[in-house]
Amino acid sequence: MGKYIVLDIVFHGNSLNYDQGSGNYQELKKITKWDGRQYTLVSRYALRYSLLETAQKANLFKLTEAENLIEAGKGENKVIQPATEFLLTGDILNYPEFDLFGYLITDTSPQNFRVAPVKISHAVSMTPFMYDAHFNANIGLANRMRKMHGEMKPNPFTMEEHETYYQYTVVVDIGNIGEMEVYIKPNTDVTIQNEKFKVKNIEKINALNDEEKLSIKLKKGRNEKDLMQSDIVELSEFTEFNDVYLVKYKLKDNKMIKERILSLIKALMNLKRSIKGREEDLSPKLLIAGVYNDGPYKTYRDKIVLVDEYVEEEYDEIEETKTENGRILKVKHKSSKTRKPLFKIKGIKAEITSLDEDKVLSFVERIFHKEDEYKDVKVFKDESIEVKI
C-alpha cells in the first residue's frame, strides 16, 4: 500500500472563492449538500494556487519559469502546459508544483500525464450559506470625476459574503513523489516550441564522471537538437518494447523528497489567500494528522461536526472571613459560559494536543523511518476552539 500522510484540516475564513457571476453581482462558489442546503466552497484549484503562492513567498518552493511553459492548441482552445524538452530531460521533477500536483500534456507530442501524488479536496463551509451580501460603489473615484465633469456616475456592485469555518483534506502518496515516466517512439514527431522535430536516436551515453545519461537526438531538416538527461535525476528504467521506449526518471537525492513533503506541510500550516484586496489567513484551527505505512489510510473529514453550543465551566469558590468568635466560610457555586466553537469528532481514538507547527512536523516525520505496517493518528487544536471526541 505504500506510505501515506492524511491531513484533515479546518480553518476559518471569509468569502474565499468567487464564481464568474453576472453583471454587477459577485457570486461565491457554492455546492448543494445532502441536506438540500447550499454551502460555499474554495475549489481545490484555488487552494493549490494559494498554496503555491504561499510556498513561494516563504521560500519553500521554487515555481516554474515561463520559458519552461508553452501554449498548445489552436485558436481559443489553447492551453498552457509544460514544454516538451522540460519533460523529456526529467528537469520537470526539479519543480514541486509538477512533482506534487501532476500535469497533463495532450496537444503536443509525446503526450504525457502525471497523476498528482498530493490530492487536495475542495474546502467546503461547515455552516450553510444564508445569502448575506453587501452593496458597494467606487464613490471616491466617481466624486473626483464629478468635480471635473459635473456629474457623478459610480459603478455599484453587490458582493456575497460568508464568514465561517471550512474543512478539507490533503492526502500525500509519498511513494510516487520524485518519480516520473514518459513513453517515446523513434521516428515520430516531438514538439519543441511549436515546431515538429523527428526522433532520430535514443541512447544511453557516458557523460562526465562516467555517469550514464540518456540522450535524445532530434532532427528537423538540417536542424538538430540533443536533449540530455537533467543533472538532478537518475535513469531508473529504460526499456524498449514494441518499438516504444519507456523512460523513467527519479530524483537522485532522496532527501529532496522528504524536504519537499515537509515544505508542503509548512506551507499548509501558514496558508494565506489574497482575494478582493484582503489577505485571509487559512492556517489550521483543527488538524487531524494520520500517518500510514503498508496499510489502508483513513480520512475523518466527514466525521468532524461544528456544534453550536456554549462551553460551560462550573466550579466552587470558598471565601473565608475571620470574626471574634472564629471564622465564616462562604461557598459560592459559580458557572461560566464561553462562546468558543465546539467541534465534535466521531469514530476516532486519538490524543488531542495543542496546535504547533513543530509538533505537527515531528509527528509526520516519523513515517519516513517506518518499514513495517504502521499507523498513528493525532488531533491538533488551536486554543481558540474546543474539541470533543
Side-chain angles (χ1 to χ4, degrees):
M1 292 290 292
K3 296 180 189 291
Y4 289 89
I5 300 169
V6 182
L7 305 173
D8 295 304
I9 297 173
V10 174
F11 65 84
H12 187 265
N14 177 32
S15 308
L16 298 165
N17 202 181
Y18 282 87
D19 225 327
Q20 190 170 10
S22 60
N24 59 355
Y25 190 83
Q26 298 187 9
E27 185 179 355
L28 286 166
K29 288 185 186 296
K30 305 178 197 72
I31 191 168
T32 304
K33 291 173 64 173
W34 62 272
D35 57 3
R37 295 192 285 184
Q38 288 202 311
Y39 295 76
T40 55
L41 67 82
V42 191
S43 73
R44 60 179 297 271
Y45 311 104
L47 285 172
R48 184 180 61 184
Y49 171 81
S50 293
L51 186 59
L52 291 174
E53 291 292 308
T54 300
Q56 185 187 37
K57 288 176 183 174
N59 291 322
L60 295 169
F61 287 167
K62 176 187 175 186
L63 302 189
T64 310
E65 299 84 357
E67 55 263 32
N68 291 322
L69 304 171
I70 59 169
E71 273 192 330
K74 295 178 182 177
E76 295 181 352
N77 296 321
K78 284 186 175 179
V79 295
I80 300 172
Q81 62 185 37
T84 311
E85 57 269 44
F86 189 45
L87 172 75
L88 293 179
T89 60
D91 200 37
I92 198 169
L93 284 179
N94 200 22
Y95 296 88
E97 61 184 301
F98 294 123
D99 184 25
L100 300 180
F101 302 117
Y103 49 81
L104 179 64
I105 300 173
T106 58
D107 211 56
T108 53
S109 61
Q111 295 178 331
N112 194 263
F113 71 93
R114 173 173 172 74
V115 176
V118 176
K119 294 177 173 59
I120 304 176
S121 72
H122 298 317
V124 180
S125 67
M126 300 187 73
T127 57
F129 181 58
M130 306 304 286
Y131 284 89
D132 293 326
H134 69 106
F135 182 76
N136 302 273
N138 54 346
I139 191 71
L141 295 176
N143 192 36
R144 274 174 267 165
M145 292 288 287
R146 177 181 64 87
K147 293 174 182 175
M148 178 176 287
H149 300 288
E151 60 178 343
M152 189 165 68
K153 294 181 177 178
N155 306 118
F157 63 98
T158 300
M159 294 178 66
E160 292 184 342
E161 299 281 0
H162 194 202
E163 182 169 338
T164 187
Y165 288 91
Y166 293 78
Q167 60 176 348
Y168 69 108
T169 298
V170 179
V171 178
V172 182
D173 179 359
I174 298 174
N176 282 319
I177 293 175
E179 291 185 348
M180 59 158 288
E181 65 179 27
V182 61
Y183 294 84
I184 186 166
K185 188 175 183 180
N187 299 315
T188 56
D189 289 339
V190 166
T191 310
I192 303 291
Q193 298 298 327
N194 296 322
E195 290 188 72
K196 299 284 188 185
F197 285 75
K198 290 283 186 188
V199 179
K200 182 181 174 186
N201 189 35
I202 309 170
E203 62 178 351
K204 290 192 284 187
I205 63 169
N206 286 325
L208 294 175
N209 302 323
D210 290 329
E211 185 183 2
E212 208 169 46
K213 283 195 167 188
L214 189 70
S215 166
I216 302 174
K217 294 188 184 302
L218 308 175
K219 189 171 184 181
K220 180 185 179 185
R222 294 182 178 179
N223 294 331
E224 291 192 356
K225 284 185 179 292
D226 188 2
L227 303 182
M228 187 66 71
Q229 175 185 324
S230 170
D231 290 334
I232 65 150
V233 297
E234 61 185 25
L235 192 62
S236 58
E237 186 173 345
F238 180 55
T239 308
E240 182 184 7
F241 57 92
N242 295 331
D243 200 26
V244 175
Y245 287 96
L246 166 62
V247 178
K248 285 189 177 181
Y249 293 123
K250 62 178 289 189
L251 287 172
K252 277 183 184 174
D253 187 356
N254 282 330
K255 291 180 182 175
M256 283 183 68
I257 296 173
K258 180 179 175 182
E259 289 171 3
R260 191 164 284 181
I261 293 170
L262 296 181
S263 292
L264 169 72
I265 293 171
K266 287 178 187 176
L268 288 166
M269 295 296 294
N270 297 280
L271 184 58
K272 303 288 186 298
R273 179 161 174 77
S274 299
I275 182 165
K276 304 285 187 187
R278 291 176 280 113
E279 183 79 351
E280 292 287 327
D281 182 359
L282 310 190
S283 58
K285 298 297 183 188
L286 170 62
L287 169 64
I288 304 175
V291 288
Y292 304 84
N293 186 49
D294 201 20
Y297 64 81
K298 194 171 182 180
T299 172
Y300 294 91
R301 181 158 52 102
D302 62 345
K303 306 288 193 300
I304 305 172
V305 180
L306 173 58
V307 184
D308 184 19
E309 287 181 359
Y310 285 100
V311 177
E312 293 188 7
E313 285 184 347
E314 293 188 0
Y315 58 96
D316 292 328
E317 189 176 273
I318 300 174
E319 183 179 296
E320 180 180 347
T321 307
K322 292 185 179 178
T323 66
E324 293 179 353
N325 300 323
R327 58 179 184 159
I328 298 173
L329 290 178
K330 288 184 178 177
V331 180
K332 295 180 179 177
H333 185 74
K334 292 191 171 183
S335 64
S336 68
K337 291 182 178 180
T338 58
R339 197 65 197 270
K340 278 187 177 180
L342 174 63
F343 292 86
K344 287 185 177 178
I345 310 172
K346 301 174 182 175
I348 185 173
K349 292 180 181 177
E351 177 190 352
I352 301 176
T353 188
S354 58
L355 187 57
D356 176 87
E357 182 178 313
D358 290 337
K359 287 182 181 176
V360 174
L361 291 172
S362 176
F363 175 77
V364 167
E365 202 170 349
R366 66 183 65 175
I367 191 62
F368 297 103
H369 309 292
K370 301 297 180 185
E371 297 299 331
D372 298 326
E373 187 173 340
Y374 175 80
K375 76 168 187 178
D376 196 6
V377 178
K378 188 174 272 192
V379 178
F380 299 87
K381 68 172 272 304
D382 185 80
E383 61 182 12
S384 64
I385 65 167
E386 296 292 335
V387 175
K388 285 185 180 177
I389 291 178

